[in-house]
Amino acid sequence: MTGHVSAWRASDATTFDIAREAANTAIAAVLRLADDGGMLHEHAIAEASAIRRELVEVDAFNRSALETLLERLTSRIAELSGPLP
């Protein structure tokens, strides 16, 4: 019996995990902003849904696509966090 060889490399899985955590962080920041009154809840829910959809739809075997998504999420997290004191 031969084992199944995954197309994922360990670094791909790690990059996807990092992107997933960034998506979770961005979603939490959007929802926190809405709870604090800085954004309408309807807009926050729409953005949170879009972030989750983008994560689910990214080609996880495409390192460039993962890195692009991660860059966008990191940028959005910085925007939502506001200026540093």
Side-chain angles (χ1 to χ4, degrees):
M1 180 174 170
T2 60
H4 173 70
V5 177
S6 173
W8 278 55
R9 296 181 308 258
S11 59
D12 291 336
T14 300
T15 302
F16 185 78
D17 284 344
I18 292 168
R20 185 179 59 213
E21 285 301 316
N24 290 340
T25 300
I27 290 168
V30 166
L31 297 177
R32 190 175 317 109
L33 187 62
D35 285 345
D36 291 344
M39 175 186 284
L40 292 174
H41 280 93
E42 294 81 13
H43 292 165
I45 292 168
E47 183 171 352
S49 296
I51 291 168
R52 181 61 61 196
R53 186 173 34 262
E54 190 172 10
L55 177 66
V56 169
E57 292 175 354
V58 71
D59 179 359
F61 295 104
N62 181 337
R63 173 62 65 90
S64 177
L66 274 174
E67 289 175 350
T68 299
L69 173 61
L70 187 53
E71 287 174 17
R72 274 197 313 274
L73 291 171
T74 301
S75 175
R76 186 61 178 140
I77 291 165
E79 289 172 6
L80 292 167
S81 299
L84 295 174

